[in-house]
Amino acid sequence: MSSSEGAPESWISSFCSLMGHEFFAEVSEDFIEDDFNLTGLQSQVPMYKEALEMILDVEPEDDEEEEEEEEEEEDDDEVLGDERPLGYRKAGDRRHARVASDLSVIESSAELLYGLIHQRYITSRPGIQQMLEKYEMQHFGVCPRVNCGGCKVLPVGRSDTPGQETVKLFCPGCMDIYTPPNSRFHSVDGAFFGTTFGCLFFMTFPDLSVGTRLDGPLSAGPLSAAARAQSTLTNRSTPPQMPNEPPTPEDQPVEINGMHTSNFCPGLGRGKIYDPKIYGFKVSEVSRVGPRMKWLRMKPRDVYEVDEARNYELNAADREEEVREHEAREREADNDGDTEMNAEQSQEAVIANRKKAPLRRRRQEPSQTAPSDQMSVQSAEIA
Amino acid sequence: MVNMMEDFNSETDSDYTSYWRDWFVSSRGNEYFCEIDEDYLTDRFNLTGLNTEVPYYQYALDLVTDVFDLDADDDLREQIEKSARHLYGLVHARYIVTTRGLAKMLDKYKKCDFGKCPRVLCDGHPLLPLGQHDLPNMSTVKLYCPKCEDIYNPKSSRHASIDGAYFGTSFHSILFQVYPALNPEKSLRRYEPRIYGFKVHAAAALARWQDCCREDMQDRLAEFGMSQKFVEESDSEEENYEYGEENETVKTEKVAGDAASARMDLGN
């Protein structure tokens, strides 16, 4: 390594300390040196070998050795049949007079390669751990949405292919993505973070308290008594209790759809939806320019409503009951004697009910809470 | 700042030019403000009740209207200057809901003077300033995106310290009541979190639930003979194919909401 100069800084750490590169984690050299982790990148990055050498701070070897190696490399490449830019073949010839422009090409290749490795690294165990530290130190900033209350965000991409979109910020409080406020990040490629990282992060650390509330499972330990008192105070004051709305159902599950209920979009739902008002009066939905986008920030008060498997079972029981009723009615009609007419009627009824069933499944009234559903099912079964 | 004011005052105040307001509106951090008309400021009716809210009210008003000529020491001058800015803000909240004020703010909105929506799927739609309270010293200014109908914090810290009451809670709603044609088309697009290409269940289930809520809203609107059109982008069609049936009906229906539109008459 470059021992000739005092206190050398590795390419990786100097890259990560560049302006605008604050979101990047420092990929460990072990990760890069494992060829398995680089599978397929050779075809995506021009001047791959040189770029990799640059990232790992490998000194270019002596000319003779290098040329030999280069030849070998080229042979390998031909065997592999990789797609290469035409200029690559001549790289060996040009090597003797490597000029500044050549270096800058390698530099940009190295940045691309590092970004693509980074995309993979932050979904690995050590990488995601490193990002956790950065997340907790709020390196990625907070959600700009007022009702998210300064929820910490994560950098994500909208595409895994480089060169398509710049980096965005994912807020777990509202499950939405935002443009970074600082323009220095508007030139960072989103693919260097990838589409997977955002959600994978929060699934890897499910106990992480996502919202701003202090009563999360993680904050239970080192919280001082005063802070605890304050947090309970603020908690009590935050939910604006509407007089005409029923209180939140209390028997909420600990987990919903693989997340802690407390972490399930804490920035959405009642009290977190902006309500436009004119001189204190709400703007009616029926107004031509009334609010139309509230659904985007809605969340069921009773999280069981998004437990689709459970709802399906409840509805299935409902449907079975209906079918049974109709069968019974048909049987009664059969017994009556004037079979033909009644049979026709009941058939129509069955068809009508069949039509109705999927509609009901799809369109669940927000007011229709799960417990009452269960009640009705139970009572139906008893009957 | 005091020095700057002295400079202004030492010049001949021969013409009735708006030195103070010019300076205030063009100074850094005050990009959200528009210039209040002289006529509006001098009409005492428009200032009703502000004399109890603003200390040194008369001096502050004189300063704002460029007729200030008091020999005051620096401390007092600073106090008055502070009051003048507060007074200007409070009058501003009243001014921007008048016809002239709305037109001025509309120009600024079209020029993106208030910034662009940080939400990626809003494609940088221009924002409008708003306060969450009409009383001063309650909250700072926020920004409203008419596309996603949500409110955001200003990204620059120099705007984050402006009092929200200087814009008021009603302004942006009134703007679109008065100029309904400017209300942007709403979009169905939303972010879909994915892990290795697979949708994340918690987010997808919530999205389906929200879609039901949206359909309910469309049904409610249909009862009033209105329909809400959502822009269907090509990339969201695939996501919403389950609801393709409904979306198509929405698309083909014409907006027939004029009958129920509650246009606000501002007395002008």
Side-chain angles (χ1 to χ4, degrees):
Chain A
M1 298 274 166
S2 53
S3 52
S4 53
E5 287 162 43
E9 197 187 18
S10 71
W11 185 90
I12 294 173
S13 59
S14 70
F15 175 81
C16 291
S17 59
L18 278 177
M19 172 114 150
H21 291 186
E22 290 84 349
F23 290 169
F24 284 97
E26 287 192 27
V27 182
S28 67
E29 288 193 7
D30 298 345
F31 187 87
I32 301 175
E33 277 161 3
D34 186 343
D35 279 343
F36 175 74
N37 293 326
L38 311 179
T39 308
L41 295 185
Q42 204 159 1
S43 61
Q44 285 188 56
V45 183
M47 307 185 87
Y48 170 79
K49 188 167 168 285
E50 290 85 345
L52 190 59
E53 276 175 358
M54 183 176 264
I55 290 174
L56 293 172
D57 296 307
V58 180
E59 291 271 295
E61 289 133 44
D62 291 351
D63 272 5
E64 281 173 40
E65 272 180 58
E66 211 176 286
E67 260 173 2
E68 267 175 47
E69 219 173 87
E70 192 63 34
E71 273 164 23
E72 277 172 39
E73 261 285 302
E74 274 182 18
D75 289 346
D76 282 353
D77 288 341
E78 270 162 6
V79 172
L80 284 168
D82 273 349
E83 278 178 61
R84 289 277 171 145
L86 277 172
Y88 180 76
R89 290 279 153 106
K90 290 169 191 160
D93 308 345
R94 270 194 279 124
R95 182 69 62 94
H96 295 288
R98 187 185 275 178
V99 282
S101 67
D102 215 19
L103 258 178
S104 75
V105 171
I106 296 172
E107 180 74 43
S108 66
S109 279
E111 283 178 17
L112 174 65
L113 180 61
Y114 184 78
L116 292 172
I117 297 171
H118 185 264
Q119 182 201 81
R120 299 174 178 194
Y121 177 69
I122 56 174
T123 57
S124 73
R125 194 178 286 271
I128 212 162
Q129 197 70 40
Q130 215 176 317
M131 290 302 258
L132 173 67
E133 283 165 27
K134 285 172 82 74
Y135 167 81
E136 287 188 326
M137 293 199 297
Q138 214 173 300
H139 278 192
F140 310 118
V142 294
C143 183
R145 190 169 161 264
V146 171
N147 284 322
C148 277
C151 195
K152 281 180 279 190
V153 293
L154 278 184
V156 294
R158 289 190 73 197
S159 160
D160 286 320
T161 324
Q164 303 222 327
E165 280 202 64
T166 60
V167 68
K168 311 292 177 207
L169 299 171
F170 170 69
C171 172
C174 53
M175 289 270 187
D176 214 334
I177 46 171
Y178 299 96
T179 312
N182 200 319
S183 58
R184 73 170 80 146
F185 299 115
H186 295 180
S187 56
V188 178
D189 200 317
F192 296 171
F193 298 89
T195 55
T196 299
F197 170 64
C199 261
L200 188 70
F201 180 89
F202 291 106
M203 289 180 128
T204 311
F205 307 108
D207 291 334
L208 214 57
S209 184
V210 157
T212 44
R213 295 179 303 165
L214 295 166
D215 55 353
L218 270 189
S219 62
L223 207 63
S224 72
R228 199 185 291 267
Q230 208 180 0
S231 78
T232 50
L233 225 162
T234 51
N235 276 337
R236 218 174 293 148
S237 62
T238 36
Q241 197 68 48
M242 299 294 180
N244 53 351
E245 271 186 281
T248 315
E250 279 179 7
D251 57 335
Q252 295 289 283
V254 182
E255 280 197 10
I256 183 75
N257 294 340
M259 304 176 90
H260 281 296
T261 305
S262 61
N263 278 348
F264 177 58
C265 298
L268 301 184
R270 197 172 57 105
K272 306 281 189 167
I273 305 169
Y274 176 64
D275 229 350
K277 287 177 184 165
I278 294 181
Y279 300 128
F281 299 99
K282 283 186 189 173
V283 180
S284 165
E285 193 175 67
V286 185
S287 159
R288 189 166 153 201
V289 292
R292 296 283 194 276
M293 292 296 285
K294 283 189 176 177
W295 53 271
L296 188 67
R297 305 303 192 196
M298 286 213 256
K299 185 177 88 168
R301 282 160 40 70
D302 179 8
V303 293
Y304 276 123
E305 281 183 41
V306 288
D307 193 344
E308 289 172 334
R310 187 190 137 109
N311 288 338
Y312 180 77
E313 274 171 35
L314 289 174
N315 282 324
D318 254 358
R319 279 195 303 280
E320 259 175 47
E321 189 56 37
E322 268 171 33
V323 170
R324 234 178 291 150
E325 264 175 39
H326 285 298
E327 277 172 1
R329 229 181 287 160
E330 263 179 61
R331 241 177 284 135
E332 259 176 53
D334 280 348
N335 292 343
D336 273 357
D338 44 355
T339 43
E340 274 180 35
M341 223 179 92
N342 269 326
E344 239 170 64
Q345 271 179 357
S346 61
Q347 237 170 7
E348 270 171 29
V350 168
I351 290 165
N353 266 304
R354 263 186 216 139
K355 274 183 191 164
K356 239 183 269 170
L359 201 79
R360 189 155 357 110
R361 213 189 314 144
R362 218 169 38 199
R363 208 164 285 170
Q364 260 196 319
E365 291 292 319
S367 56
Q368 185 187 353
T369 49
S372 68
D373 256 0
Q374 194 156 33
M375 290 264 283
S376 66
V377 169
Q378 279 168 351
S379 60
E381 272 172 355
I382 290 160
Chain B
M1 207 174 290
V2 175
N3 289 338
M4 201 180 281
M5 285 317 301
E6 276 169 355
D7 286 350
F8 274 122
N9 284 335
S10 62
E11 285 172 40
T12 52
D13 35 5
S14 52
D15 280 325
Y16 219 48
T17 44
S18 54
Y19 282 134
W20 192 88
R21 277 168 289 139
D22 254 357
W23 162 80
F24 180 79
V25 168
S26 58
S27 64
R28 197 172 149 81
N30 291 340
E31 291 87 353
Y32 290 174
F33 290 94
C34 70
E35 199 179 322
I36 306 174
D37 287 336
E38 185 82 45
D39 300 347
Y40 191 85
L41 269 170
T42 46
D43 185 344
R44 288 292 160 128
F45 175 75
N46 295 326
L47 312 176
T48 307
L50 293 184
N51 52 350
T52 57
E53 184 61 49
V54 181
Y56 305 108
Y57 168 76
Q58 193 53 52
Y59 292 139
L61 184 60
D62 287 350
L63 188 57
V64 172
T65 50
D66 299 305
V67 292
F68 185 71
D69 58 347
L70 178 77
D71 274 332
D73 56 41
D74 281 2
D75 271 359
L76 184 61
R77 215 169 241 287
E78 193 141 0
Q79 284 286 320
I80 293 168
E81 176 65 28
K82 217 175 128 199
S83 288
R85 274 178 276 147
H86 189 49
L87 176 68
Y88 189 87
L90 293 174
V91 180
H92 188 262
R94 299 178 179 191
Y95 176 70
I96 56 174
V97 295
T98 64
T99 313
R100 296 256 314 136
L102 279 174
K104 276 190 185 178
M105 289 300 262
L106 187 63
D107 273 351
K108 288 173 80 69
Y109 165 69
K110 284 178 175 167
K111 283 192 284 177
C112 277
D113 278 358
F114 310 113
K116 292 176 176 172
C117 183
R119 185 169 172 263
V120 172
L121 294 165
C122 283
D123 288 324
H125 198 275
L127 296 165
L128 283 169
L130 89 155
Q132 286 175 293
H133 300 92
D134 283 313
L135 293 173
N137 305 320
M138 298 279 280
S139 61
T140 57
V141 68
K142 310 285 179 223
L143 297 165
Y144 171 82
C145 171
K147 189 146 177 147
C148 58
E149 294 175 4
D150 211 337
I151 53 173
Y152 300 96
N153 291 309
K155 64 181 185 179
S156 156
S157 57
R158 63 174 189 269
H159 294 138
S161 57
I162 300 173
D163 199 319
Y166 297 166
F167 300 91
T169 58
S170 318
F171 158 67
H172 65 88
S173 300
I174 293 175
L175 183 84
F176 288 109
Q177 294 284 353
V178 175
Y179 300 101
L182 290 174
N183 201 26
E185 281 184 301
K186 316 288 167 164
S187 167
L188 287 178
R189 286 165 66 196
R190 76 166 104 215
Y191 175 63
E192 263 189 347
R194 283 172 191 259
I195 291 184
Y196 300 119
F198 298 99
K199 285 185 198 175
V200 178
H201 178 57
L206 180 67
R208 284 189 284 269
W209 184 87
Q210 288 173 338
D211 284 336
C212 289
C213 291
R214 193 190 65 235
E215 283 162 28
D216 285 344
M217 179 195 76
Q218 285 173 330
D219 289 349
R220 281 198 303 275
L221 288 174
E223 281 177 31
F224 290 94
M226 308 179 70
S227 72
Q228 173 59 35
K229 239 167 61 168
F230 287 97
V231 193
E232 279 282 37
E233 269 84 11
S234 52
D235 60 334
S236 66
E237 255 160 35
E238 175 251 333
E239 297 160 15
N240 294 293
Y241 69 96
E242 291 143 283
Y243 304 99
E245 200 188 319
E246 277 88 345
N247 289 337
E248 262 169 47
T249 56
V250 171
K251 238 193 278 180
T252 48
E253 274 171 41
K254 288 263 176 195
V255 180
D258 265 310
S261 84
R263 195 184 164 127
M264 190 141 165
D265 194 356
L266 290 167
N268 282 299

